[in-house]
Amino acid sequence: MSPSQEVYSQPISEFNQQAARGQTVNPSQRGNEQELHQLYQLLIEPIADLLPSDPNERVIFIPQDSLFLVPFPALPDANGKYLIEKHTILTAASIQVLDLTRRQRQRLPQTQTDILIVGNPTMPMRGEQRLSPLVGAETEAQAIAQLLNTTPLIGSEATKARVIEKMATSRIIHLATHGSFDPERGIGSWLALAPTGSDDGFLTAEEILDLQLSAELVVLSACDTGRGKITGDGVIGLSRSFISAGVSSILVSLWKVDDRVTAYLMGEFYQNWQQGSNKAQALREAMLRTMQQYPGVENWAAFTLIGEAE
């Protein structure tokens, strides 16, 4: 089935606008059901009988145009059961990009063992106003660093220069900070890091394109990191830049996320991964646990895994 963009763009737009406004965690709501169920009827119902019955088998979506904004795990069937409750889900920009991330995963140096965890950098100025600190992101970074037996970069330690230097040798990169997307060009999308006398602290998608990375996993635990300029070949933004720079898997968000809920979801994700689940299974299990604690779709369904599960 190939529904026209006009048919599916309205529910996507409505849902993302509502999710972006959903900054207050409300565990009692399973909101936005109408738009999400419309998308399920359009996109999933026609192929439902072709999907695997084993929830651990992977379903890889290769969306087009604004379908890149769809939170596939959160699409409910007629009984209100979400897709993530039945399937393990990944996304990819194209078959070619999927092949690229697979080759990049196979080339991962065995000697590459460094882990970079960043949380709540000293925030830079945006115009005349300093970005607000993210206490939850700092707590998240400290908890994950303890889990992975490393020391996080917090506050003034998380400078742009130091983060770029450490990314080059890291197997896992986790950045918990502010992020923003550029819908016009994509490559202007940014992550906020601690400023210094030589830079403003903003790491852009354009700058990431010029890096040489070989990380097994990048996690952008920030708002809107999966968004950017939408094209027929995918989203041009932070996720595309990291994959182009050599990363094989990246976890990004589709809307503004609450940092307390994100800290919980990320903790669950890393624990599951450490216990032997692949990255896609670990994310699925983390979503299901977060769903129990914070039932609103805007709380648990923002993140999507792009690239390799292994």
Side-chain angles (χ1 to χ4, degrees):
M1 181 186 70
S2 300
S4 69
Q5 186 170 351
E6 290 77 11
V7 172
Y8 56 67
S9 63
Q10 183 175 354
I12 295 171
S13 176
E14 289 175 0
F15 174 77
N16 276 275
Q17 288 173 22
Q18 292 176 40
R21 292 193 297 267
Q23 292 302 286
T24 302
V25 179
N26 187 343
S28 67
Q29 288 188 346
R30 288 165 67 99
N32 307 297
E33 294 293 306
Q34 184 176 355
E35 291 86 358
L36 293 172
H37 183 57
Q38 277 183 278
L39 290 168
Y40 182 91
Q41 291 176 306
L42 285 166
L43 304 171
I44 306 302
E45 269 187 8
I47 60 167
D49 60 337
L50 302 175
L51 298 179
S53 56
D54 182 354
N56 289 313
E57 286 191 43
R58 298 166 212 161
V59 177
I60 302 174
F61 290 103
I62 301 178
Q64 187 171 0
D65 297 320
S66 56
L67 291 179
F68 277 95
L69 301 180
V70 171
F72 286 97
L75 302 188
D77 63 17
N79 298 317
K81 193 167 187 178
Y82 293 114
L83 201 61
I84 197 65
E85 296 181 86
K86 299 185 282 187
H87 303 292
T88 297
I89 296 170
L90 301 97
T91 59
S94 65
I95 290 291
Q96 290 79 9
V97 172
L98 194 61
D99 179 60
L100 171 66
T101 56
R102 188 149 300 167
R103 285 186 279 112
Q104 289 175 171
R105 175 68 183 88
Q106 291 168 348
R107 290 199 302 263
L108 182 70
Q110 297 300 313
T111 55
Q112 190 133 323
T113 57
D114 289 354
I115 297 173
L116 171 63
I117 310 292
V118 172
N120 192 25
T122 299
M123 291 299 169
M125 300 288 291
R126 193 67 179 165
E128 297 182 359
Q129 191 170 4
R130 189 174 300 279
L131 296 177
S132 60
L134 296 172
V135 178
E138 184 170 333
T139 303
E140 172 188 331
Q142 290 169 335
I144 290 168
Q146 184 175 8
L147 194 64
L148 300 180
N149 195 29
T150 190
T151 302
L153 296 183
I154 303 290
S156 60
E157 295 179 331
T159 64
K160 179 176 171 179
R162 190 170 183 190
V163 168
I164 288 175
E165 179 186 6
K166 290 183 72 66
M167 283 200 301
T169 60
S170 292
R171 182 175 65 88
I172 299 171
I173 299 168
H174 184 103
L175 307 177
T177 183
H178 281 294
S180 185
F181 71 99
D182 166 18
E184 301 301 323
R185 296 187 309 134
I187 56 176
S189 304
W190 52 259
L191 296 163
L193 299 169
T196 63
S198 59
D199 65 70
D200 61 6
F202 292 100
L203 177 61
T204 67
E206 186 170 16
E207 292 170 310
I208 294 164
L209 272 173
D210 293 331
L211 302 179
Q212 291 187 338
L213 307 177
S214 53
E216 176 183 354
L217 174 66
V218 170
V219 176
L220 302 184
S221 185
C223 299
D224 297 320
T225 50
R227 302 184 69 175
K229 179 182 179 181
I230 297 174
T231 71
D233 295 324
V235 177
I236 298 173
L238 292 165
S239 58
R240 176 72 67 90
S241 291
F242 272 106
I243 288 173
S244 297
V247 170
S248 57
S249 303
I250 184 164
L251 190 57
V252 294
S253 64
L254 297 177
W255 57 79
K256 295 183 186 300
V257 289
D258 182 276
D259 58 350
R260 293 167 297 161
V261 182
T262 301
Y264 180 87
L265 185 146
M266 290 299 170
E268 292 292 322
F269 168 74
Y270 280 105
Q271 287 184 59
N272 296 333
W273 191 27
Q274 273 202 325
Q275 290 167 6
S277 297
N278 65 47
K279 292 186 282 285
Q281 291 169 339
L283 179 60
R284 175 179 183 265
E285 292 157 7
M287 284 183 167
L288 294 177
R289 287 293 299 274
T290 306
M291 187 192 301
Q292 294 173 355
Q293 296 294 320
Y294 306 98
V297 164
E298 67 275 12
N299 297 322
W300 57 265
F303 285 92
T304 184
L305 181 65
I306 301 171
E308 293 303 291
E310 300 300 338

